[in-house]
């Protein structure tokens, strides 16, 4: 089919992005000696365990030391510590690409697993819930308000809107979150300041879900407030520029009702860039989740990232998460491409 | 369009005017900050707790007193070098504290500096004489004796001073309990006293009052009595600090740091980040775009592929990763920001150049034999200039916000003070949950205002960049019936 | 007998920072009966498109003044409410082919959708019926049937122009307004479109308002010609009258500027610039560029003078000759 080609071309680029990020990760870990330190720590830990085990059987301290050293050499070879970091590079890249993300040092999943993939998978839905809810609300408000504002371009209200958009862009979502907590949780005591469930959490079922929503109000609200301004302004501008095109005048001259003109000949034509804006918003709030989840102690991937960076750094988790973020990012970009092809016949044949 | 023309067009818009005004104000303020503060303020002072030791901790700004009503306790530092009274071997240093507030001081400390003695260290005694004539000995600070091998005269506290907190510890508790028993025949349980020592020093016991204490207003004489063994012995200075219930323009954080100073010094740093990063990023972006579009061929292909890859990278996670792994020096952070932000402009400029290249202007320049470089800089760049400028303005707030985010995650450059870091320490200390708004609201407001300044300028640039929207009331939309 | 369309003193001014632009400043003309083609000829900026838009009530936001009478079969269309105008006039009484067919089509809808949609918003319209008619019309304008599924970006300029024409015919309008329907096309396609229009006139008895800056092109199709200058009309008459005996100096220049294949004389250009419609010249708007301008021209607005037959012109020269003769 005609639109397979553009999508495939795009997919290749995006896979290139994935690889490039991965190589960047591995190279910066290797070149800064980070990766060596990580592996040494792992080896050291295993050797400590071995020493206690060996001490049971080998009494002579000199003998014990020799046995331990032999084991250490073995382990170092196993982890590739005897080679320089760049010779390990292909292996590492391959491992991460096959989603073999390794074990966390300190962090655990709620079921106690140390496997990084378990930990991340457990957090993924929480982040997804947060940002998709915010996205849906932003999209709804942005589309309705943005397209109505286009009809009032140049009025006082329209100008006020552009100021709102600029301000909204200038506000960091995480700081807005702090304000929200101060106001709604601390001052008014209306909403929970953070976390995902009350303590103790309600039994499973509807109540639990409602509790979750209750806790999601402030983070979602913060996210929406900072994304909706720029978004509705871009919807407005996009709609406005389509509205000035000749075919809209023709549609009116045809005697189509105004509603049809707006929907079919303005919004529908402006849809591809509008959807682009939306997906770009999604990808940026994906990164932004690191901050907002930290503020609200929302146990998603973002908070996990923060936990892995702050306190005792958990390198395996950091690498894995950066990769997963890139993966999701790239997936969203590709989704955008698919939507674009569906929405705009012009790109189908190029 | 000439730079002048652009400026005129920019200033013709409301947002452009507002943004310009703000920018000038911010630049002036940061110039002041740069002159008023040493460049190593962050490393040498901000992160050095002893600088802030005399300040009250986590107290709101002074001006909040105006709003809340009631008299707040002003932060009071009293210092003297001369004894008020000398009788025999004892010199009395006396300082007067006028206490008229509705709240007690947050703390009371005494600090002694420049002690020099020849045989035995002087014996010190801190006494408070209260307005009702009562007095109490609050502390007997110890000056360390001679060390073995040290020769007289012995110098103590030449730099740094002997600081004694008068509002904590068992000693003060006992002294006050005895005072209340002896003078007012009131038996205040030590558990009650222990948590309200600062209040107790300036109160009389009264059943029914909060904490069982009623504030006693009036003049307090704070005395340090020093008894010397040798007439040649000396004492440099005595300082009493009564911690205010409010402090400075912006209050203090939990280390007693003056937030007003942190906020002020954060401004030039934020502007530096925004402006440097955006200039570098646009310079790279525009150059690559022009080169890519004008050269074509392999160069174009390589630049386009690169731009494509970099444009699709998740910015924040990668920034965090790189700063975490490579380091958090401010210039490094800026470098990373720049490294990921040029492609947008490159792609835009390239497409403009492709259009221009086929245009007459460039063709005629080629005909008269202008060099490639000359064509690129003289004939192509000026056409892209408004877009480049708009992008530059737009990128500054993005860089400021990104750095703030990094700082908030604890990945900021520790040698400088940034608003993000102030927010981070506030958030980590739990200021949000304790209601210490003055610690977490102003830095955020500062970030927003700075970012907004650039956003307003970007908004003002819109008519320059997008002439179709220039008139503000474009024809076409809602044409139906508009005329009737 | 009442004419099919009778336009009287139509005005459309636009609000601008400099003041109102008098793009259509009191123009009157008529289309007598079905099958009659009236040409509106004038240079760029003379307000031709604005006049067509005024007829269709396609108005930008910055309208400063919009009035006059547009009598269709004796009924004043200007008095209709917007909703009635939309339903009864647009595409039924009058359909229009806009200047610049390249951009007249919605880029994300296929041809079939766009051609049929006006019919389909009517209650009780059948989709099958609508598509059948669309195919018929598309065939009539010389397009292959399968074009119905194609998107605008897949079509050439000439094809788009034909699609737009077919689209305009969907509701069987009584009057077709054509705003420079061929100016963006190359000569051979232009000829094809002109033949098509002639065929429409001949076979369907379609009344048309043919707007062009090219008086030669108008001569190919029109029964009567109106010459527009600076937001006003300055001459009207049958094609033969205007073409062979132009009375207004501007018309004369216009005709002299037609390049002639077998004439060694160089085509003339009209010197000077088109009038500023915010602040038009006093008296006769053409006087700054007129070779014959004399004493009343820069102060008094010339009225319409009869020039024999159906021909009329607004030039003081005619008044003079009359006065003398
Ligand atoms: N919305 C508007 N606001 C202000 N001025 C306008 C507007 N639309 C058209 N004009 C001006 O009105 C005058 C007449 O324009 P119009 O498009 O009607 O001319 P035209 O005869 O169709 O020219 P062309 O042959 O170039 O199509 C021009 O000077 C034009 O600049
Ligand atoms: S009225 Fe005068 S100026 Fe106008 S066209 Fe006739 S002669 Fe020329
Ligand atoms: Mg026109």
């Amino acid at each position: 089919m005609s639109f397979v080609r553009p999508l495939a071309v795009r997919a290749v680029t995006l896979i290139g992005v994935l690889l490039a990020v991965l190589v960047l990760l591995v190279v910066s870990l290797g070149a800064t000696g980070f990766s060596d330190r990580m592996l040494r720590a792992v080896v050291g830990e295993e050797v400590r365990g071995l020493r206690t085990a060996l001490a049971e059987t080998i009494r002579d301290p000199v003998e014990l030391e020799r046995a331990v050293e032999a084991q250490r050499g073995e382990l170092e070879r196993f982890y590739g510590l005897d080679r320089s970091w760049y010779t390990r590079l292909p292996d590492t890249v391959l491992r991460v690409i096959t989603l073999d993300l390794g074990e966390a040092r300190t962090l655990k999943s709620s079921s106690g697993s140390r496997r990084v993939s378990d930990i991340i998978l457990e957090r993924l839905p929480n982040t997804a819930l947060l940002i998709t809810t915010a996205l849906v609300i932003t999209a709804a408000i942005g589309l309705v308000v943005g397209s109505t504002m286009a009809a009032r371009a140049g009025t006082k209200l329209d100008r006020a809107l552009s100021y709102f958009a600029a301000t909204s862009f200038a506000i960091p979502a995480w700081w807005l979150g702090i304000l929200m907590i101060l106001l709604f949780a601390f001052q008014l005591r209306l909403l929970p300041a953070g976390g995902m469930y009350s303590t103790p959490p309600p039994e499973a079922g509807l109540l639990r879900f409602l509790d979750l929503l209750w806790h999601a109000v402030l983070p979602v609200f913060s996210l929406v407030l900072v994304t909706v301004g720029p978004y509705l302004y871009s919807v407005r501008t996009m709609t406005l520029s389509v509205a000035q095109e000749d075919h809209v005048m023709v549609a009116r001259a045809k005697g189509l009702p105004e509603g049809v003109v707006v929907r079919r000949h303005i919004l529908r034509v402006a849809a591809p860039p509008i959807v682009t804006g939306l997906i770009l918003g999604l990808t940026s709030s994906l990164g932004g989740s690191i901050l907002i989840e930290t503020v609200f102690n929302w146990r998603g991937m973002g908070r996990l990232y923060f936990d892995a960076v702050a306190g005792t750094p958990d390198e395996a988790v950091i690498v894995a998460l950066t990769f997963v973020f890139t993966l999701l990012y790239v997936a969203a970009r590709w989704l955008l491409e698919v939507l674009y092809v569906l929405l705009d016949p012009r790109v189908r044949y190029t | 369009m000439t730079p002048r023309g652009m400026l005129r067009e920019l200033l013709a818009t409301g947002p452009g005017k507002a943004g310009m005004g703000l920018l000038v104000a911010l630049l002036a303020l940061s110039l002041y900050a740069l002159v008023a503060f040493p460049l190593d303020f962050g490393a040498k002072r901000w992160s050095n707790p002893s600088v802030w030791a005399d300040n009250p901790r986590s107290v709101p700004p002074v001006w909040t007193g105006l709003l809340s009503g009631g008299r707040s306790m002003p932060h009071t530092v009293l210092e003297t070098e001369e004894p008020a009274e000398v009788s025999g071997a004892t010199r009395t240093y006396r300082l007067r504290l006028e206490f008229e507030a509705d709240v007690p001081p947050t703390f009371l400390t005494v600090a002694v500096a420049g002690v020099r003695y020849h045989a035995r260290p002087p014996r010190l005694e801190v006494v408070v004489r209260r307005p009702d004539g009562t007095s109490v000995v609050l502390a007997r600070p110890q000056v360390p004796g001679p060390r073995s091998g040290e020769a007289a005269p012995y110098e103590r506290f030449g730099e740094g001073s002997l600081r004694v907190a008068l509002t904590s510890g068992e000693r003060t508790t006992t002294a006050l309990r005895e005072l209340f028993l002896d003078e007012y025949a009131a038996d205040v349980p030590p558990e009650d006293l222990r948590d309200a020592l600062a209040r107790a020093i300036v109160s009389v016991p009264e059943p029914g009052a909060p904490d069982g204490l009623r504030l006693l207003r009036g003049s307090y004489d704070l005395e340090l009595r020093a008894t010397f063994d040798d007439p040649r012995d000396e004492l440099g200075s005595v300082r009493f600090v009564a911690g205010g219930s409010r402090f400075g323009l912006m209050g203090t954080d939990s280390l007693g740091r003056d937030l007003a100073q942190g906020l002020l010094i954060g401004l030039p740093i934020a502007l530096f980040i925004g402006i440097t990063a955006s200039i570098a990023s646009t310079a790279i972006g525009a150059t690559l775009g022009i080169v890519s579009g004008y050269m074509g061929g392999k160069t174009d292909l390589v630049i386009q592929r690169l731009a494509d890859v970099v444009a699709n990278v998740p910015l924040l996670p990668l920034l965090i990763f790189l700063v975490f792994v490579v380091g958090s020096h401010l210039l490094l952070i800026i470098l990373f920001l720049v490294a990921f932000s040029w492609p947008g402009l490159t792609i835009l400029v390239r497409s403009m150049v492709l259009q221009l290249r086929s245009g007459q202007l460039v063709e005629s320049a080629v005909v008269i034999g202008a060099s490639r470089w000359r064509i690129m800089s003289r004939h192509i760049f000026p056409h892209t200039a408004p877009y480049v400028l708009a992008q530059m303005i737009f990128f500054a707030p993005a860089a400021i916000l990104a750095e703030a985010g990094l700082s908030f995650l604890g990945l900021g450059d520790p040698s400088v003070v940034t608003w993000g870091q102030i927010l981070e320490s506030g958030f980590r200390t739990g200021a949000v949950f304790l209601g210490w708004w003055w610690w977490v609201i102003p830095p955020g407001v500062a970030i927003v205002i700075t970012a907004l300044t650039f956003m307003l300028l970007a908004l003002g640039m819109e008519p320059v960049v997008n002439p179709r929207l220039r008139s503000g009331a474009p024809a076409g939309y809602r044409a139906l019936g508009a005329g009737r | 007998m009442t004419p099919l369309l009778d336009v009287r003193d139509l005005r459309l001014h636009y609000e601008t920072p400099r003041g109102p632009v008098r793009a259509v400043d009191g123009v009157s003309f008529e289309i007598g009966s079905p099958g009659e083609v009236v040409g509106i000829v004038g240079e760029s900026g003379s307000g031709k498109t604005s006049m067509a838009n005024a007829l269709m009530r396609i108005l930008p936001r910055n309208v400063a003044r919009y009035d006059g009478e547009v009598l269709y079969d004796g009924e004043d269309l200007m008095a209709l409410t917007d909703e009635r105008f939309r339903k009864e006039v647009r595409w039924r009484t009058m359909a229009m082919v806009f200047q610049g067919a390249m951009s007249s089509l919605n880029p994300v809808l296929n041809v079939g959708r766009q051609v049929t949609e006006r019919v389909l918003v009517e209650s009780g319209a059948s989709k099958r019926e609508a598509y059948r008619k669309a195919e018929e019309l598309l065939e009539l304008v010389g397009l292959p049937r399968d074009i119905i599924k194609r998107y605008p970006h897949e079509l050439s300029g000439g094809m788009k122009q034909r699609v737009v024409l077919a689209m305009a015919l969907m509701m069987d309008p009584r009057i077709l307004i054509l705003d420079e329907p061929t100016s963006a096309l190359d000569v051979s396609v232009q000829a094809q479109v002109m033949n098509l229009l002639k065929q429409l006139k001949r076979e369907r008895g379609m009344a048309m308002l043919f707007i062009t800056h090219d008086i030669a092109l108008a001569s190919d199709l029109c029964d009567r010609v109106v010459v527009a200058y600076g937001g006003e009309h300055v001459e009207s008459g049958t094609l033969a009258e205007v073409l062979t005996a132009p009375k207004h100096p501007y018309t004369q220049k216009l005709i002299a500027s037609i390049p002639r294949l077998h004439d060694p004389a160089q085509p003339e250009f009209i010197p000077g610039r088109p009038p500023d419609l915010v602040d038009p010249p006093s008296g006769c708007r053409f006087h700054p560029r007129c070779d014959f301008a004399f004493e009343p021209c820069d102060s008094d607005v010339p009225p319409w003078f009869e020039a024999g037959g159906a021909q009329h012109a607004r030039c003081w020269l005619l008044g003079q000759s009359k006065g003398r003769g």
Side-chain angles (χ1 to χ4, degrees):
Chain A
M1 264 183 293
S2 49
F3 45 79
V4 171
R5 225 182 83 84
L7 288 184
V9 169
R10 199 64 193 151
V12 171
T13 310
L14 291 174
I15 289 171
V17 171
L18 213 54
L19 272 175
V21 167
L22 200 54
V23 169
L24 180 68
L25 294 189
V26 179
V27 167
S28 40
L29 282 173
T32 53
F34 226 94
S35 129
D36 281 357
R37 255 178 290 149
M38 266 162 73
L39 291 175
R40 288 247 151 70
V42 174
V43 170
E45 222 153 87
E46 293 199 15
V47 167
R48 220 168 304 133
L50 270 172
R51 187 193 298 273
T52 24
L54 285 173
E56 300 280 299
T57 50
I58 307 172
R59 295 271 163 225
D60 178 22
V62 182
E63 191 77 354
L64 176 67
E65 215 43 49
R66 195 177 309 131
V68 166
E69 278 317 303
Q71 290 283 2
R72 183 195 293 275
E74 192 104 322
L75 278 171
E76 286 185 347
R77 224 171 352 243
F78 176 75
Y79 283 110
L81 264 172
D82 55 336
R83 294 176 284 153
S84 42
W85 62 270
Y86 41 85
T87 55
R88 294 197 300 266
L89 197 143
D91 284 352
T92 322
V93 170
L94 208 68
R95 246 189 325 109
V96 179
I97 275 216
T98 52
L99 286 180
D100 175 5
L101 301 176
E103 304 241 316
R105 247 219 279 176
T106 47
L107 295 162
K108 283 192 191 117
S109 78
S110 62
S111 58
S113 167
R114 287 208 155 188
R115 290 189 47 213
V116 174
S117 42
D118 288 347
I119 304 179
I120 293 181
L121 272 183
E122 178 184 87
R123 302 292 192 105
L124 188 64
N126 297 344
T127 297
L129 176 79
L130 199 63
I131 61 181
T132 47
T133 314
L135 186 76
V136 168
I137 297 175
T138 301
I141 300 177
L143 284 176
V144 172
V145 179
S147 56
T148 19
M149 279 336 273
R152 291 175 182 55
T155 60
K156 278 226 174 66
L157 196 61
D158 177 56
R159 244 168 289 148
L161 189 87
S162 66
Y163 282 101
F164 168 69
T167 315
S168 162
F169 183 88
I171 298 179
W174 48 274
W175 177 69
L176 192 65
I178 290 179
L179 279 191
M180 296 284 157
I181 295 177
L182 265 177
L183 182 63
F184 291 103
F186 182 81
Q187 204 69 41
L188 303 174
R189 303 194 178 280
L190 281 177
L191 287 159
M196 294 177 60
Y197 296 102
S198 312
T199 36
E203 292 295 301
L206 185 64
L207 261 153
R208 192 178 160 86
F209 183 66
L210 287 179
D211 192 44
L212 181 66
L213 287 188
W214 183 237
H215 282 76
V217 171
L218 283 187
V220 166
F221 189 50
S222 311
L223 274 177
V224 167
L225 217 54
V226 302
T227 47
V228 80
Y231 186 61
L232 64 81
Y233 192 68
S234 77
V235 170
R236 167 229 178 243
T237 307
M238 235 93 79
T239 322
L240 196 56
S241 88
V242 172
Q244 288 168 287
E245 281 172 20
D246 285 349
H247 76 261
V248 177
M249 183 169 69
V250 175
R252 275 204 185 91
K254 277 197 221 175
L256 297 177
E258 188 60 19
V260 175
V261 174
V262 170
R263 248 178 293 121
R264 199 181 291 165
H265 293 275
I266 298 179
L267 293 183
R268 175 64 187 79
V269 177
I274 286 176
V275 168
T276 304
L278 202 59
I279 301 279
L280 293 185
L282 175 74
T283 53
S284 83
S285 43
L286 202 59
S289 71
I290 299 174
L291 291 154
I292 202 88
E293 290 182 3
T294 298
V295 169
F296 286 100
N297 193 16
W298 186 268
R299 295 176 52 80
M301 297 200 308
R303 176 73 198 203
L304 182 65
Y305 205 163
F306 175 74
D307 288 338
V309 172
T312 39
D314 204 321
E315 297 86 353
V317 179
I318 295 173
V319 176
L321 266 180
T322 314
F323 179 72
V324 171
F325 270 118
T326 314
L327 195 66
L328 291 175
Y329 203 82
V330 163
R333 289 284 173 123
W334 200 70
L335 173 73
L336 170 63
E337 224 57 41
V338 173
L339 287 176
Y340 218 108
V341 163
L342 290 180
L343 286 174
D344 192 342
R346 280 167 293 190
V347 296
R348 276 179 220 166
Y349 299 85
T350 49
Chain B
M1 191 175 279
T2 62
R4 265 207 156 161
M6 273 193 268
L7 189 67
R8 196 169 328 112
E9 190 103 22
L10 178 68
L11 286 179
T13 65
K17 265 196 223 74
M20 244 339 166
L22 272 171
L23 185 66
V24 169
L26 291 185
L27 286 175
L29 208 57
S30 57
L31 205 66
Y32 167 73
L34 286 176
V35 172
F37 291 91
L39 274 178
D40 58 0
F41 177 85
K44 287 277 163 58
R45 292 180 60 79
W46 188 253
S47 40
N48 177 3
S50 68
V51 173
W52 313 101
D54 276 343
N55 285 356
R57 295 175 178 187
S58 318
V59 295
V62 166
W63 47 264
T64 54
L66 300 174
L67 310 174
S68 65
R71 280 162 298 176
S72 51
M73 171 70 206
H75 187 66
T76 318
V77 180
L78 306 162
E79 191 158 12
T80 179
E81 294 180 356
E82 296 304 320
E85 209 174 289
V86 181
S87 66
T90 303
R91 300 172 211 167
T92 304
Y93 296 82
R94 183 174 300 130
L95 288 159
R96 171 155 290 195
L97 174 70
E98 300 293 347
F99 176 67
E100 294 298 339
D102 291 338
V103 287
T106 44
F107 64 86
L108 197 63
T109 60
V110 63
V112 177
V115 180
R116 165 206 274 252
Y117 61 89
H118 292 79
R120 289 203 316 155
R123 289 173 301 286
L124 307 179
E125 197 175 54
V126 180
V127 181
V128 174
R129 295 192 181 283
R130 309 191 338 143
D132 60 358
T134 57
S135 69
V136 57
V137 178
L138 285 181
R140 297 208 161 82
Q142 298 285 326
V143 178
R147 287 184 287 270
S148 58
E150 202 182 6
Y154 309 103
E155 311 253 358
R156 295 289 180 268
F157 307 110
E159 306 160 10
S161 46
L162 170 63
R163 298 173 50 87
V164 178
L166 304 174
T167 41
S168 63
E170 244 0 81
R171 197 197 153 85
T172 318
T173 315
T174 322
L176 285 168
R177 201 170 121 76
E178 277 164 13
L179 170 77
F180 290 164
L181 258 180
D182 295 351
E183 302 280 350
Y184 308 96
D187 187 7
V188 186
E191 311 81 78
D192 289 6
L193 271 182
R194 208 168 284 135
D195 294 333
L197 285 176
R199 171 179 281 271
I201 292 174
V202 292
S203 296
V204 292
E206 184 175 284
D211 281 335
L213 299 165
R214 179 175 54 80
L215 288 175
L216 175 66
R217 300 200 178 78
S219 308
Y220 285 76
D221 281 333
L222 310 171
E223 292 182 0
L224 180 95
R225 282 190 227 147
T227 311
F228 298 95
D229 271 355
D230 187 312
R232 289 171 298 167
D233 289 358
E234 280 171 26
L235 198 151
S237 69
V238 174
R239 188 170 72 217
F240 279 98
V241 180
S245 56
R246 302 177 199 280
F247 185 90
L249 262 180
M250 285 292 155
T252 60
D253 67 8
S254 65
L255 293 174
R257 291 189 284 209
D258 182 359
L259 287 168
Q261 294 186 31
L263 287 172
L264 189 58
I265 201 73
L267 175 60
I269 294 167
L271 289 181
F272 175 74
I273 294 167
I275 293 173
T276 325
S278 72
I279 288 180
S281 154
T282 30
I284 295 175
T287 313
L288 286 182
I290 291 180
V291 169
S292 176
Y294 191 72
M295 300 287 222
K298 278 227 176 69
T299 321
D300 183 33
L301 196 72
V302 170
I303 295 178
Q304 284 316 297
R305 283 293 141 269
L306 198 64
D308 234 6
V309 168
V310 177
N312 281 293
V313 142
L315 182 62
L316 193 63
L318 264 190
L319 268 181
I320 294 174
F321 174 84
L322 285 174
V323 171
F324 177 71
V325 170
V326 182
S328 61
H329 193 279
L330 190 61
L331 292 179
L332 264 182
I333 294 179
I334 293 177
L335 179 80
F336 294 145
L337 275 171
V338 171
F340 290 116
S341 56
W342 54 270
L345 189 59
T346 299
I347 293 167
L348 178 77
V349 168
R350 173 180 177 268
S351 70
M352 294 188 68
V353 171
L354 288 184
Q355 273 173 21
L356 288 170
R357 196 167 65 155
S358 53
Q360 283 181 347
L361 198 79
V362 173
E363 245 163 48
S364 57
V366 173
V367 169
I368 60 171
S371 78
R372 272 185 171 192
W373 174 244
R374 197 182 158 78
I375 291 173
M376 282 196 254
S377 62
R378 282 296 173 81
H379 299 280
I380 293 182
F381 179 72
H383 286 269
T384 61
Y387 295 84
V388 173
L389 187 64
Q391 184 71 22
M392 187 153 97
I393 293 173
F394 188 75
F395 183 61
I400 291 171
L401 293 176
E403 191 282 334
L406 279 177
S407 283
F408 182 70
L409 291 175
L411 293 169
D413 184 341
S415 66
V416 295
V417 191
T418 66
W419 296 326
Q421 290 178 33
I422 296 179
L423 275 165
E424 187 260 348
S425 61
F427 187 71
R428 196 165 25 77
T429 317
V432 183
F433 306 100
L434 295 164
W436 296 344
W437 54 266
W438 59 91
W439 192 353
V440 286
I441 291 183
V445 171
I447 293 173
V448 172
I449 289 178
T450 314
L452 184 61
T453 301
F454 292 100
M455 286 308 293
L456 288 174
L457 288 174
L459 203 60
M461 279 295 285
E462 199 164 62
V464 182
V465 179
N466 197 348
R468 265 222 290 192
L469 303 175
R470 194 171 294 185
S471 66
Y477 201 80
R478 278 289 160 103
L480 253 183
R484 310 207 92 192
Chain C
M1 200 190 88
T2 50
L4 182 65
L5 186 74
D6 188 356
V7 177
R8 293 183 189 165
D9 205 22
L10 188 63
R11 261 169 237 274
L12 177 57
H13 296 179
Y14 304 119
E15 197 60 62
T16 66
R18 284 180 57 223
V21 176
R22 301 152 144 203
V24 181
D25 208 13
V27 304
S28 307
F29 66 93
E30 47 178 73
I31 300 177
S33 57
E36 181 172 286
V37 178
V38 174
I40 308 273
V41 185
E43 63 189 348
S44 183
S46 57
K48 307 182 296 293
T49 299
S50 297
M51 191 197 74
N53 288 349
L55 291 176
M56 293 296 288
R57 210 187 273 186
I58 295 292
L59 307 174
R61 290 163 67 95
N62 62 333
V63 170
R65 180 169 176 189
Y66 175 51
D67 53 35
E69 279 172 75
V70 179
L71 304 175
Y72 169 75
D73 266 343
E75 185 196 5
D76 188 5
L77 302 181
M78 295 291 278
L80 296 179
T81 62
D82 283 344
E83 187 58 14
R84 276 192 64 196
F85 190 88
R86 172 180 79 71
K87 283 194 179 140
E88 293 168 19
V89 178
R90 288 186 174 161
W91 243 237
R92 265 184 207 282
T93 308
M94 292 187 280
M96 179 164 169
V97 171
F98 284 82
Q99 188 171 8
M102 299 304 142
S103 53
S104 286
L105 293 171
N106 181 330
V108 301
L109 300 182
N110 67 27
V111 168
R113 245 348 250 291
Q114 300 194 55
V115 174
T116 56
E117 69 176 338
R118 173 62 177 93
V119 177
L120 292 177
V121 295
E122 296 290 314
S123 55
S126 129
K127 197 165 173 181
R128 159 114 51 88
E129 192 60 21
Y131 270 86
R132 204 188 46 70
K133 180 158 191 190
E135 276 177 12
E136 238 172 60
L137 285 172
L138 287 166
E139 209 155 80
L140 174 78
V141 298
L143 289 168
R145 273 167 173 267
D146 70 340
I147 198 143
I148 221 147
K149 295 229 168 56
R150 310 276 286 275
Y151 287 90
H153 70 275
E154 303 170 82
L155 310 180
S156 71
M159 289 163 101
K160 279 188 212 170
Q161 189 61 275
R162 288 163 203 244
V163 169
V164 169
L165 196 57
M167 188 160 82
L169 299 175
M170 272 303 278
M171 298 288 284
D172 299 316
R174 303 287 305 278
I175 301 163
L176 187 59
I177 303 174
L178 300 141
D179 190 0
E180 313 249 11
T182 61
S183 53
L185 306 176
D186 63 51
V187 190
S188 65
V189 185
Q190 184 171 335
Q192 287 168 9
V193 172
M194 289 308 288
N195 285 336
L196 202 64
L197 294 176
K198 277 186 236 166
Q199 188 188 343
L200 277 177
K201 169 183 153 91
R202 203 171 50 236
E203 290 174 9
R204 304 199 156 207
M206 181 74 77
M208 298 187 211
L209 193 61
F210 184 82
I211 296 174
T212 180
H213 62 273
D214 182 352
I215 196 165
L217 201 62
S219 68
D220 200 18
L221 179 70
C222 302
D223 303 308
R224 291 197 305 112
V225 178
V226 176
V227 179
Y229 182 81
E232 297 176 333
H233 290 174
V234 294
E235 177 155 9
S236 72
T238 64
L239 180 70
E241 287 166 348
V242 174
L243 220 57
T244 54
K247 291 292 183 302
H248 196 282
Y250 174 66
T251 317
Q252 290 162 5
K253 291 260 184 202
L254 211 57
I255 290 167
S257 70
I258 304 173
R260 254 162 275 246
L261 217 49
H262 303 291
D263 194 334
Q266 284 289 309
E268 275 183 52
F269 291 99
I270 306 174
R273 297 209 284 129
D276 174 7
L277 296 184
V278 175
D279 182 23
S282 58
C284 171
R285 288 190 182 175
F286 187 58
H287 85 255
R289 298 165 82 184
C290 182
D291 295 339
F292 308 100
F294 61 111
E295 161 253 317
C297 297
D298 63 351
S299 55
D300 301 332
V301 178
W304 282 104
F305 290 103
E306 287 185 15
Q311 198 173 7
H312 293 73
R314 293 178 78 180
C315 172
W316 284 119
L317 288 173
L318 285 147
Q320 218 179 24
S321 63
K322 219 179 213 169
R324 260 193 249 124

